[in-house]
Amino acid sequence: MGSVTEIALVVSLVILLAGILRWTFGRGPQGALPDENGDLGLLETVAVVPTREAADVLVAKLAREKVRVTVAHGEEGWRLLAFPSDADDARVALRAM
């Protein structure tokens, strides 16, 4: 069993390490900033709807068509985003609904 000084030193080092790791990695999700078209990185906006429920309905319909999309909340509403390879298919499937 270590002395009180050794135990206090180990606890202090663990707290110091936790503080350094939190400072380094604890800034939270940074996320991508939209460009002038509202697109995020490689993702293109294929639709904008006012509510999350409407976005979920469209995502489910697109999933049945085997089109992959994701949802992001922006100032104008909920956006359905797709990779460029899926964006045209998503737009065609949304027009057909």
Side-chain angles (χ1 to χ4, degrees), residues 61-89:
K61 288 181 179 181
L62 289 171
R64 285 193 293 272
E65 297 291 326
K66 308 253 190 278
V67 179
R68 297 178 305 161
V69 294
T70 189
V71 177
H73 187 259
E75 293 177 8
E76 67 282 350
W78 293 89
R79 295 184 297 148
L80 275 66
L81 303 163
F83 283 106
S85 60
D86 293 330
D88 290 335
D89 293 337

PDB file of all heavy atoms in Angstrom, residues 61-89:
ATOM      1  N   LYS A  61     -39.716   7.446 -46.938  1.00  0.00           N
ATOM      2  CA  LYS A  61     -40.102   7.191 -48.326  1.00  0.00           C
ATOM      3  C   LYS A  61     -38.879   7.016 -49.211  1.00  0.00           C
ATOM      4  O   LYS A  61     -38.850   6.149 -50.085  1.00  0.00           O
ATOM      5  CB  LYS A  61     -40.985   8.325 -48.846  1.00  0.00           C
ATOM      6  CG  LYS A  61     -42.366   8.319 -48.242  1.00  0.00           C
ATOM      7  CD  LYS A  61     -43.222   9.425 -48.790  1.00  0.00           C
ATOM      8  CE  LYS A  61     -44.613   9.372 -48.174  1.00  0.00           C
ATOM      9  NZ  LYS A  61     -45.487  10.412 -48.695  1.00  0.00           N
ATOM     10  N   LEU A  62     -37.861   7.844 -48.988  1.00  0.00           N
ATOM     11  CA  LEU A  62     -36.636   7.712 -49.774  1.00  0.00           C
ATOM     12  C   LEU A  62     -35.909   6.415 -49.449  1.00  0.00           C
ATOM     13  O   LEU A  62     -35.297   5.799 -50.326  1.00  0.00           O
ATOM     14  CB  LEU A  62     -35.731   8.920 -49.553  1.00  0.00           C
ATOM     15  CG  LEU A  62     -36.224  10.222 -50.180  1.00  0.00           C
ATOM     16  CD1 LEU A  62     -35.383  11.388 -49.710  1.00  0.00           C
ATOM     17  CD2 LEU A  62     -36.217  10.124 -51.690  1.00  0.00           C
ATOM     18  N   ALA A  63     -35.974   5.983 -48.207  1.00  0.00           N
ATOM     19  CA  ALA A  63     -35.334   4.718 -47.823  1.00  0.00           C
ATOM     20  C   ALA A  63     -35.994   3.547 -48.554  1.00  0.00           C
ATOM     21  O   ALA A  63     -35.302   2.599 -48.955  1.00  0.00           O
ATOM     22  CB  ALA A  63     -35.413   4.520 -46.313  1.00  0.00           C
ATOM     23  N   ARG A  64     -37.323   3.615 -48.734  1.00  0.00           N
ATOM     24  CA  ARG A  64     -38.006   2.561 -49.492  1.00  0.00           C
ATOM     25  C   ARG A  64     -37.562   2.543 -50.950  1.00  0.00           C
ATOM     26  O   ARG A  64     -37.609   1.512 -51.601  1.00  0.00           O
ATOM     27  CB  ARG A  64     -39.520   2.740 -49.398  1.00  0.00           C
ATOM     28  CG  ARG A  64     -40.078   2.322 -48.046  1.00  0.00           C
ATOM     29  CD  ARG A  64     -41.582   2.203 -48.065  1.00  0.00           C
ATOM     30  NE  ARG A  64     -42.257   3.480 -48.253  1.00  0.00           N
ATOM     31  CZ  ARG A  64     -42.610   4.318 -47.276  1.00  0.00           C
ATOM     32  NH1 ARG A  64     -42.321   3.998 -46.021  1.00  0.00           N
ATOM     33  NH2 ARG A  64     -43.232   5.430 -47.520  1.00  0.00           N
ATOM     34  N   GLU A  65     -37.122   3.697 -51.460  1.00  0.00           N
ATOM     35  CA  GLU A  65     -36.608   3.792 -52.831  1.00  0.00           C
ATOM     36  C   GLU A  65     -35.104   3.501 -52.885  1.00  0.00           C
ATOM     37  O   GLU A  65     -34.474   3.674 -53.914  1.00  0.00           O
ATOM     38  CB  GLU A  65     -36.881   5.184 -53.404  1.00  0.00           C
ATOM     39  CG  GLU A  65     -38.339   5.528 -53.535  1.00  0.00           C
ATOM     40  CD  GLU A  65     -39.033   4.703 -54.600  1.00  0.00           C
ATOM     41  OE1 GLU A  65     -38.381   4.374 -55.610  1.00  0.00           O
ATOM     42  OE2 GLU A  65     -40.225   4.399 -54.405  1.00  0.00           O
ATOM     43  N   LYS A  66     -34.535   3.134 -51.738  1.00  0.00           N
ATOM     44  CA  LYS A  66     -33.104   2.818 -51.612  1.00  0.00           C
ATOM     45  C   LYS A  66     -32.217   4.041 -51.888  1.00  0.00           C
ATOM     46  O   LYS A  66     -31.141   3.934 -52.453  1.00  0.00           O
ATOM     47  CB  LYS A  66     -32.702   1.668 -52.534  1.00  0.00           C
ATOM     48  CG  LYS A  66     -33.561   0.428 -52.394  1.00  0.00           C
ATOM     49  CD  LYS A  66     -32.826  -0.656 -51.689  1.00  0.00           C
ATOM     50  CE  LYS A  66     -33.567  -1.970 -51.750  1.00  0.00           C
ATOM     51  NZ  LYS A  66     -34.593  -2.115 -50.784  1.00  0.00           N
ATOM     52  N   VAL A  67     -32.698   5.215 -51.472  1.00  0.00           N
ATOM     53  CA  VAL A  67     -31.938   6.457 -51.600  1.00  0.00           C
ATOM     54  C   VAL A  67     -31.539   6.895 -50.196  1.00  0.00           C
ATOM     55  O   VAL A  67     -32.391   7.054 -49.324  1.00  0.00           O
ATOM     56  CB  VAL A  67     -32.766   7.562 -52.283  1.00  0.00           C
ATOM     57  CG1 VAL A  67     -31.971   8.851 -52.373  1.00  0.00           C
ATOM     58  CG2 VAL A  67     -33.209   7.114 -53.665  1.00  0.00           C
ATOM     59  N   ARG A  68     -30.230   7.084 -49.984  1.00  0.00           N
ATOM     60  CA  ARG A  68     -29.726   7.455 -48.665  1.00  0.00           C
ATOM     61  C   ARG A  68     -29.703   8.974 -48.509  1.00  0.00           C
ATOM     62  O   ARG A  68     -29.165   9.679 -49.350  1.00  0.00           O
ATOM     63  CB  ARG A  68     -28.320   6.917 -48.467  1.00  0.00           C
ATOM     64  CG  ARG A  68     -28.237   5.412 -48.503  1.00  0.00           C
ATOM     65  CD  ARG A  68     -26.827   4.933 -48.354  1.00  0.00           C
ATOM     66  NE  ARG A  68     -25.996   5.570 -49.383  1.00  0.00           N
ATOM     67  CZ  ARG A  68     -24.678   5.660 -49.323  1.00  0.00           C
ATOM     68  NH1 ARG A  68     -24.035   5.178 -48.297  1.00  0.00           N
ATOM     69  NH2 ARG A  68     -24.005   6.225 -50.283  1.00  0.00           N
ATOM     70  N   VAL A  69     -30.307   9.455 -47.425  1.00  0.00           N
ATOM     71  CA  VAL A  69     -30.272  10.876 -47.088  1.00  0.00           C
ATOM     72  C   VAL A  69     -30.088  11.008 -45.584  1.00  0.00           C
ATOM     73  O   VAL A  69     -30.290  10.059 -44.833  1.00  0.00           O
ATOM     74  CB  VAL A  69     -31.563  11.621 -47.522  1.00  0.00           C
ATOM     75  CG1 VAL A  69     -31.701  11.653 -49.023  1.00  0.00           C
ATOM     76  CG2 VAL A  69     -32.782  11.040 -46.872  1.00  0.00           C
ATOM     77  N   THR A  70     -29.703  12.192 -45.178  1.00  0.00           N
ATOM     78  CA  THR A  70     -29.615  12.510 -43.759  1.00  0.00           C
ATOM     79  C   THR A  70     -30.344  13.816 -43.530  1.00  0.00           C
ATOM     80  O   THR A  70     -30.658  14.540 -44.476  1.00  0.00           O
ATOM     81  CB  THR A  70     -28.149  12.592 -43.290  1.00  0.00           C
ATOM     82  OG1 THR A  70     -28.118  12.698 -41.872  1.00  0.00           O
ATOM     83  CG2 THR A  70     -27.430  13.779 -43.904  1.00  0.00           C
ATOM     84  N   VAL A  71     -30.624  14.140 -42.280  1.00  0.00           N
ATOM     85  CA  VAL A  71     -31.412  15.322 -41.943  1.00  0.00           C
ATOM     86  C   VAL A  71     -30.564  16.266 -41.096  1.00  0.00           C
ATOM     87  O   VAL A  71     -29.840  15.831 -40.196  1.00  0.00           O
ATOM     88  CB  VAL A  71     -32.685  14.914 -41.166  1.00  0.00           C
ATOM     89  CG1 VAL A  71     -33.481  16.130 -40.752  1.00  0.00           C
ATOM     90  CG2 VAL A  71     -33.530  13.972 -41.999  1.00  0.00           C
ATOM     91  N   ALA A  72     -30.667  17.565 -41.403  1.00  0.00           N
ATOM     92  CA  ALA A  72     -29.977  18.588 -40.615  1.00  0.00           C
ATOM     93  C   ALA A  72     -30.938  19.748 -40.396  1.00  0.00           C
ATOM     94  O   ALA A  72     -31.740  20.083 -41.274  1.00  0.00           O
ATOM     95  CB  ALA A  72     -28.726  19.071 -41.338  1.00  0.00           C
ATOM     96  N   HIS A  73     -30.855  20.348 -39.222  1.00  0.00           N
ATOM     97  CA  HIS A  73     -31.724  21.486 -38.913  1.00  0.00           C
ATOM     98  C   HIS A  73     -30.975  22.770 -39.217  1.00  0.00           C
ATOM     99  O   HIS A  73     -29.853  22.973 -38.769  1.00  0.00           O
ATOM    100  CB  HIS A  73     -32.147  21.454 -37.444  1.00  0.00           C
ATOM    101  CG  HIS A  73     -33.162  22.485 -37.111  1.00  0.00           C
ATOM    102  ND1 HIS A  73     -32.840  23.652 -36.482  1.00  0.00           N
ATOM    103  CD2 HIS A  73     -34.488  22.536 -37.347  1.00  0.00           C
ATOM    104  CE1 HIS A  73     -33.927  24.372 -36.331  1.00  0.00           C
ATOM    105  NE2 HIS A  73     -34.950  23.711 -36.844  1.00  0.00           N
ATOM    106  N   GLY A  74     -31.599  23.635 -39.984  1.00  0.00           N
ATOM    107  CA  GLY A  74     -31.019  24.931 -40.318  1.00  0.00           C
ATOM    108  C   GLY A  74     -32.001  26.040 -40.000  1.00  0.00           C
ATOM    109  O   GLY A  74     -33.097  25.807 -39.486  1.00  0.00           O
ATOM    110  N   GLU A  75     -31.624  27.250 -40.323  1.00  0.00           N
ATOM    111  CA  GLU A  75     -32.480  28.400 -40.046  1.00  0.00           C
ATOM    112  C   GLU A  75     -33.787  28.347 -40.830  1.00  0.00           C
ATOM    113  O   GLU A  75     -34.825  28.788 -40.358  1.00  0.00           O
ATOM    114  CB  GLU A  75     -31.733  29.691 -40.381  1.00  0.00           C
ATOM    115  CG  GLU A  75     -30.563  29.966 -39.476  1.00  0.00           C
ATOM    116  CD  GLU A  75     -29.807  31.208 -39.882  1.00  0.00           C
ATOM    117  OE1 GLU A  75     -30.276  31.936 -40.782  1.00  0.00           O
ATOM    118  OE2 GLU A  75     -28.749  31.461 -39.296  1.00  0.00           O
ATOM    119  N   GLU A  76     -33.732  27.814 -42.041  1.00  0.00           N
ATOM    120  CA  GLU A  76     -34.921  27.778 -42.892  1.00  0.00           C
ATOM    121  C   GLU A  76     -35.808  26.564 -42.642  1.00  0.00           C
ATOM    122  O   GLU A  76     -36.891  26.478 -43.190  1.00  0.00           O
ATOM    123  CB  GLU A  76     -34.520  27.830 -44.368  1.00  0.00           C
ATOM    124  CG  GLU A  76     -33.775  26.611 -44.863  1.00  0.00           C
ATOM    125  CD  GLU A  76     -32.303  26.552 -44.473  1.00  0.00           C
ATOM    126  OE1 GLU A  76     -31.748  27.532 -43.971  1.00  0.00           O
ATOM    127  OE2 GLU A  76     -31.716  25.483 -44.678  1.00  0.00           O
ATOM    128  N   GLY A  77     -35.359  25.611 -41.874  1.00  0.00           N
ATOM    129  CA  GLY A  77     -36.140  24.418 -41.569  1.00  0.00           C
ATOM    130  C   GLY A  77     -35.259  23.185 -41.552  1.00  0.00           C
ATOM    131  O   GLY A  77     -34.043  23.271 -41.382  1.00  0.00           O
ATOM    132  N   TRP A  78     -35.883  22.030 -41.740  1.00  0.00           N
ATOM    133  CA  TRP A  78     -35.172  20.758 -41.738  1.00  0.00           C
ATOM    134  C   TRP A  78     -34.776  20.429 -43.163  1.00  0.00           C
ATOM    135  O   TRP A  78     -35.611  20.409 -44.062  1.00  0.00           O
ATOM    136  CB  TRP A  78     -36.056  19.670 -41.155  1.00  0.00           C
ATOM    137  CG  TRP A  78     -36.303  19.904 -39.705  1.00  0.00           C
ATOM    138  CD1 TRP A  78     -37.305  20.636 -39.151  1.00  0.00           C
ATOM    139  CD2 TRP A  78     -35.510  19.444 -38.628  1.00  0.00           C
ATOM    140  NE1 TRP A  78     -37.188  20.650 -37.790  1.00  0.00           N
ATOM    141  CE2 TRP A  78     -36.090  19.914 -37.440  1.00  0.00           C
ATOM    142  CE3 TRP A  78     -34.353  18.670 -38.544  1.00  0.00           C
ATOM    143  CZ2 TRP A  78     -35.561  19.644 -36.195  1.00  0.00           C
ATOM    144  CZ3 TRP A  78     -33.836  18.395 -37.296  1.00  0.00           C
ATOM    145  CH2 TRP A  78     -34.428  18.881 -36.142  1.00  0.00           C
ATOM    146  N   ARG A  79     -33.484  20.183 -43.376  1.00  0.00           N
ATOM    147  CA  ARG A  79     -32.967  19.907 -44.715  1.00  0.00           C
ATOM    148  C   ARG A  79     -32.636  18.439 -44.866  1.00  0.00           C
ATOM    149  O   ARG A  79     -32.059  17.833 -43.977  1.00  0.00           O
ATOM    150  CB  ARG A  79     -31.720  20.750 -44.981  1.00  0.00           C
ATOM    151  CG  ARG A  79     -32.050  22.213 -45.005  1.00  0.00           C
ATOM    152  CD  ARG A  79     -30.886  23.073 -45.360  1.00  0.00           C
ATOM    153  NE  ARG A  79     -29.854  22.941 -44.345  1.00  0.00           N
ATOM    154  CZ  ARG A  79     -28.552  23.038 -44.590  1.00  0.00           C
ATOM    155  NH1 ARG A  79     -28.120  23.267 -45.792  1.00  0.00           N
ATOM    156  NH2 ARG A  79     -27.690  22.922 -43.613  1.00  0.00           N
ATOM    157  N   LEU A  80     -33.016  17.877 -46.009  1.00  0.00           N
ATOM    158  CA  LEU A  80     -32.619  16.525 -46.369  1.00  0.00           C
ATOM    159  C   LEU A  80     -31.365  16.651 -47.220  1.00  0.00           C
ATOM    160  O   LEU A  80     -31.361  17.374 -48.217  1.00  0.00           O
ATOM    161  CB  LEU A  80     -33.724  15.818 -47.159  1.00  0.00           C
ATOM    162  CG  LEU A  80     -34.800  15.133 -46.318  1.00  0.00           C
ATOM    163  CD1 LEU A  80     -35.609  16.132 -45.545  1.00  0.00           C
ATOM    164  CD2 LEU A  80     -35.658  14.269 -47.186  1.00  0.00           C
ATOM    165  N   LEU A  81     -30.310  15.979 -46.803  1.00  0.00           N
ATOM    166  CA  LEU A  81     -29.015  16.080 -47.460  1.00  0.00           C
ATOM    167  C   LEU A  81     -28.608  14.728 -48.015  1.00  0.00           C
ATOM    168  O   LEU A  81     -28.819  13.701 -47.379  1.00  0.00           O
ATOM    169  CB  LEU A  81     -27.953  16.559 -46.460  1.00  0.00           C
ATOM    170  CG  LEU A  81     -28.259  17.892 -45.776  1.00  0.00           C
ATOM    171  CD1 LEU A  81     -27.394  18.067 -44.553  1.00  0.00           C
ATOM    172  CD2 LEU A  81     -28.051  19.029 -46.740  1.00  0.00           C
ATOM    173  N   ALA A  82     -27.995  14.743 -49.192  1.00  0.00           N
ATOM    174  CA  ALA A  82     -27.549  13.510 -49.829  1.00  0.00           C
ATOM    175  C   ALA A  82     -26.190  13.744 -50.475  1.00  0.00           C
ATOM    176  O   ALA A  82     -25.833  14.871 -50.807  1.00  0.00           O
ATOM    177  CB  ALA A  82     -28.550  13.059 -50.889  1.00  0.00           C
ATOM    178  N   PHE A  83     -25.444  12.661 -50.646  1.00  0.00           N
ATOM    179  CA  PHE A  83     -24.191  12.749 -51.390  1.00  0.00           C
ATOM    180  C   PHE A  83     -24.511  13.010 -52.856  1.00  0.00           C
ATOM    181  O   PHE A  83     -25.601  12.653 -53.329  1.00  0.00           O
ATOM    182  CB  PHE A  83     -23.390  11.452 -51.246  1.00  0.00           C
ATOM    183  CG  PHE A  83     -22.697  11.328 -49.914  1.00  0.00           C
ATOM    184  CD1 PHE A  83     -23.176  10.465 -48.947  1.00  0.00           C
ATOM    185  CD2 PHE A  83     -21.568  12.074 -49.631  1.00  0.00           C
ATOM    186  CE1 PHE A  83     -22.549  10.358 -47.719  1.00  0.00           C
ATOM    187  CE2 PHE A  83     -20.930  11.975 -48.421  1.00  0.00           C
ATOM    188  CZ  PHE A  83     -21.416  11.121 -47.456  1.00  0.00           C
ATOM    189  N   PRO A  84     -23.599  13.632 -53.593  1.00  0.00           N
ATOM    190  CA  PRO A  84     -23.869  13.938 -55.006  1.00  0.00           C
ATOM    191  C   PRO A  84     -24.307  12.726 -55.823  1.00  0.00           C
ATOM    192  O   PRO A  84     -25.152  12.857 -56.707  1.00  0.00           O
ATOM    193  CB  PRO A  84     -22.536  14.494 -55.514  1.00  0.00           C
ATOM    194  CG  PRO A  84     -21.890  15.073 -54.306  1.00  0.00           C
ATOM    195  CD  PRO A  84     -22.304  14.173 -53.167  1.00  0.00           C
ATOM    196  N   SER A  85     -23.781  11.551 -55.517  1.00  0.00           N
ATOM    197  CA  SER A  85     -24.162  10.355 -56.275  1.00  0.00           C
ATOM    198  C   SER A  85     -25.620   9.954 -56.020  1.00  0.00           C
ATOM    199  O   SER A  85     -26.238   9.295 -56.857  1.00  0.00           O
ATOM    200  CB  SER A  85     -23.236   9.193 -55.933  1.00  0.00           C
ATOM    201  OG  SER A  85     -23.312   8.895 -54.549  1.00  0.00           O
ATOM    202  N   ASP A  86     -26.184  10.344 -54.879  1.00  0.00           N
ATOM    203  CA  ASP A  86     -27.564  10.018 -54.540  1.00  0.00           C
ATOM    204  C   ASP A  86     -28.508  11.206 -54.695  1.00  0.00           C
ATOM    205  O   ASP A  86     -29.735  11.035 -54.628  1.00  0.00           O
ATOM    206  CB  ASP A  86     -27.658   9.522 -53.094  1.00  0.00           C
ATOM    207  CG  ASP A  86     -26.967   8.196 -52.880  1.00  0.00           C
ATOM    208  OD1 ASP A  86     -26.931   7.407 -53.834  1.00  0.00           O
ATOM    209  OD2 ASP A  86     -26.467   7.952 -51.772  1.00  0.00           O
ATOM    210  N   ALA A  87     -27.980  12.410 -54.899  1.00  0.00           N
ATOM    211  CA  ALA A  87     -28.807  13.614 -54.898  1.00  0.00           C
ATOM    212  C   ALA A  87     -29.833  13.610 -56.034  1.00  0.00           C
ATOM    213  O   ALA A  87     -31.006  13.933 -55.818  1.00  0.00           O
ATOM    214  CB  ALA A  87     -27.932  14.858 -54.966  1.00  0.00           C
ATOM    215  N   ASP A  88     -29.412  13.258 -57.248  1.00  0.00           N
ATOM    216  CA  ASP A  88     -30.350  13.250 -58.372  1.00  0.00           C
ATOM    217  C   ASP A  88     -31.451  12.217 -58.164  1.00  0.00           C
ATOM    218  O   ASP A  88     -32.629  12.489 -58.433  1.00  0.00           O
ATOM    219  CB  ASP A  88     -29.621  12.990 -59.686  1.00  0.00           C
ATOM    220  CG  ASP A  88     -28.742  14.166 -60.100  1.00  0.00           C
ATOM    221  OD1 ASP A  88     -29.049  15.307 -59.680  1.00  0.00           O
ATOM    222  OD2 ASP A  88     -27.770  13.939 -60.836  1.00  0.00           O
ATOM    223  N   ASP A  89     -31.083  11.025 -57.681  1.00  0.00           N
ATOM    224  CA  ASP A  89     -32.086   9.998 -57.400  1.00  0.00           C
ATOM    225  C   ASP A  89     -33.066  10.480 -56.336  1.00  0.00           C
ATOM    226  O   ASP A  89     -34.270  10.218 -56.426  1.00  0.00           O
ATOM    227  CB  ASP A  89     -31.418   8.705 -56.937  1.00  0.00           C
ATOM    228  CG  ASP A  89     -30.594   8.047 -58.025  1.00  0.00           C
ATOM    229  OD1 ASP A  89     -30.866   8.313 -59.216  1.00  0.00           O
ATOM    230  OD2 ASP A  89     -29.681   7.272 -57.677  1.00  0.00           O
TER     231      ASP A  89
END
